[in-house]
Amino acid sequence: MKVVELPKIIGEPSPNKTLHYSIGGIEKAGALYLYHNNKTKDEIKHIVLCCAGFADDHQIFMKYASDLSKREKNTLVGVISFPGYDHRPDFPWTKHKRDGYTFEEWILSMKDAVKLLRKEENRMNSDGKKAKFTAVYHDWGVVYGLKYTNRVIEESSTDLIPDKVVLFDVLTSVHPKCKNVPSNVPAQSRYQIIVEHLYRVLLAVSFWIGRYVSSLLAPFVLVIGFSILGLIQLSPLYDEVDGKISRIPKVIVFDDMRRLVYMAHPYYYFLCSAVNSAFAKKLKDGMSLPLNLERTPILYMYGTDKPCDFHDLTALQLLKDTSSCKVVSVPDAGHYLYIQQPQICLDEVIQFMNN
């Protein structure tokens, strides 16, 4: 893999505007950061919502969102965090619910974010025309985003349904009612299964220790665990570039590590779902691809330079077989492909938006 020079991604560029919304009854628990390049006051033709996952807040998407708004004129781009991941001077992470938010609160929070995005679009568009809506999800943002997308499709909430969806590096399963499920799909390798499950269990256990045993002990368990996984080459940190971007190896101050342990709460949900069938049903409900991929096309992009792919192989083949959808493998990139290869990701997403 060639060395990729990283752009500065933390703390810049500043958004044009920031709006707040409630999550689970907690005021200002969520924030929507808006970017646009609408200096001529032309009508907004596209709105885009970006959301990342573990272990990132809004800052990870700021550079990409800003570049997208500059490249594609008349586009309003919003950035949000996974519920519980937002951390701001006026709202520190310790104000979030100790166990994270419920799945229903996930969905309602994204509804509120999209409503704010639409409200800002309406304020900027004097003619009242509705802009096309593209949703961009990464990592746990994919699970969060697809649960939201499937819900608003089910409710026929026209203004809130994404016209198109972009998934970065994580692809969940085929919709349970899908009738054209691909056959003869190769099985995932044992190595990938081991890598995928070991780090999830480690994060889940670290959260459990921090929540129910000792908040002082949990960060050390997490750091030592990931160090061991790295030594035996079973770490999900794929390469030097991913390692520099990820929060996991950055043991700077203890409070940062406590926050990182708290951000592992979605993995604790996965661990709970393994032993509780009712909880598993709630988690899996709505986290698949949409049923009608002609109505809600998917662009799936993933980095090729990593030992473990985070996509369901059956879903991957289904997207390849569906004319309205597209799969793009990005060379010289790992998990953070939109930072490692921003131009490729910008080109593909803009083309997809306008196709």
Side-chain angles (χ1 to χ4, degrees):
M1 174 178 175
K2 71 180 182 182
V3 176
V4 180
E5 184 177 352
L6 297 181
K8 186 175 181 182
I9 60 171
I10 302 299
E12 69 173 15
S14 299
N16 296 92
K17 192 174 186 178
T18 303
L19 302 173
H20 299 95
Y21 54 95
S22 301
I23 306 179
I26 301 178
E27 293 292 329
K28 294 188 176 182
L32 174 67
Y33 303 85
L34 297 170
Y35 294 85
H36 64 83
N37 192 30
N38 196 28
K39 296 178 181 179
T40 59
K41 306 299 181 182
D42 292 333
E43 68 174 84
I44 297 296
K45 295 180 179 179
H46 293 281
I47 60 171
V48 180
L49 184 69
C50 302
C51 181
F54 184 83
D56 305 298
D57 55 23
H58 62 279
Q59 295 181 88
I60 202 73
F61 256 126
M62 290 176 80
K63 180 70 166 59
Y64 185 84
S66 177
D67 289 346
L68 179 58
S69 69
K70 292 174 183 176
R71 279 275 307 272
E72 186 66 7
K73 294 182 179 180
N74 306 327
T75 297
L76 176 65
V77 185
V79 179
I80 62 173
S81 301
F82 184 88
Y85 286 11
D86 214 341
H87 176 61
R88 315 181 303 271
D90 63 326
F91 194 96
W93 67 272
T94 49
K95 284 189 174 183
H96 289 294
K97 290 187 176 181
R98 292 184 67 186
D99 291 317
Y101 297 92
T102 66
F103 304 135
E104 188 63 22
E105 288 168 343
W106 288 9
I107 295 168
L108 294 176
S109 69
M110 188 169 283
K111 277 186 178 182
D112 287 342
V114 175
K115 287 176 182 177
L116 285 177
L117 189 60
R118 282 293 191 191
K119 185 176 180 180
E120 187 66 12
E121 171 213 338
N122 292 335
R123 187 188 68 80
M124 298 174 72
N125 277 359
S126 58
D127 58 7
K129 291 182 180 179
K130 290 294 181 185
K132 293 292 184 180
F133 174 23
T134 299
V136 181
Y137 308 135
H138 175 234
D139 194 80
W140 264 96
V142 171
V143 176
Y144 173 36
L146 287 178
K147 286 177 80 70
Y148 160 81
T149 300
N150 282 305
R151 172 66 68 82
V152 292
I153 289 174
E154 180 184 323
E155 294 174 346
S156 300
S157 304
T158 308
D159 287 352
L160 305 182
I161 299 174
D163 296 287
K164 296 183 179 181
V165 174
V166 179
L167 307 179
F168 282 148
D169 212 55
V170 172
L171 179 63
T172 57
S173 60
V174 171
H175 194 282
K177 294 183 180 179
C178 179
K179 295 181 179 180
N180 56 331
V181 178
S183 57
N184 301 321
V185 175
Q188 190 178 30
S189 71
R190 289 184 179 180
Y191 176 76
Q192 290 198 6
I193 293 173
I194 291 172
V195 171
E196 190 173 335
H197 284 79
L198 274 180
Y199 89 90
R200 287 179 176 177
V201 171
L202 173 59
L203 287 167
V205 170
S206 298
F207 173 79
W208 180 83
I209 291 173
R211 178 68 177 87
Y212 299 105
V213 180
S214 170
S215 61
L216 300 177
L217 176 62
F220 294 102
V221 172
L222 187 61
V223 171
I224 293 171
F226 268 104
S227 298
I228 293 173
L229 291 182
L231 287 173
I232 60 178
Q233 297 185 343
L234 292 176
S235 172
L237 297 180
Y238 321 110
D239 50 52
E240 182 183 0
V241 178
D242 271 343
K244 286 180 180 178
I245 298 171
S246 173
R247 290 173 50 86
I248 293 175
K250 297 178 182 177
V251 189
I252 302 173
V253 294
F254 188 69
D255 190 59
D256 279 355
M257 292 307 299
R258 287 178 57 241
R259 181 186 173 209
L260 183 61
V261 169
Y262 170 75
M263 293 171 83
H265 64 259
Y267 294 98
Y268 179 66
Y269 296 161
F270 258 113
L271 193 62
C272 291
S273 69
V275 296
N276 186 319
S277 58
F279 193 86
K281 186 179 184 304
K282 289 182 180 180
L283 175 63
K284 293 178 181 179
D285 183 31
M287 66 177 280
S288 67
L289 295 179
L291 177 60
N292 189 340
L293 295 175
E294 297 295 335
R295 183 176 62 180
T296 312
I298 304 287
L299 167 63
Y300 175 56
M301 302 183 68
Y302 66 97
T304 59
D305 290 1
K306 55 184 190 287
C308 177
D309 291 322
F310 294 122
H311 48 239
D312 181 278
L313 294 175
T314 302
L316 184 72
Q317 189 59 51
L318 177 63
L319 295 186
K320 290 180 178 180
D321 294 343
T322 305
S323 60
S324 60
C325 301
K326 187 176 182 181
V327 175
V328 179
S329 58
V330 181
D332 298 317
H335 190 51
Y336 291 94
L337 61 156
Y338 56 96
I339 295 172
Q340 295 155 335
Q341 296 290 354
Q343 294 309 312
I344 295 176
C345 292
L346 284 169
D347 290 345
E348 291 290 346
V349 169
I350 290 172
Q351 182 182 35
F352 183 66
M353 286 167 54
N354 290 303
N355 188 359

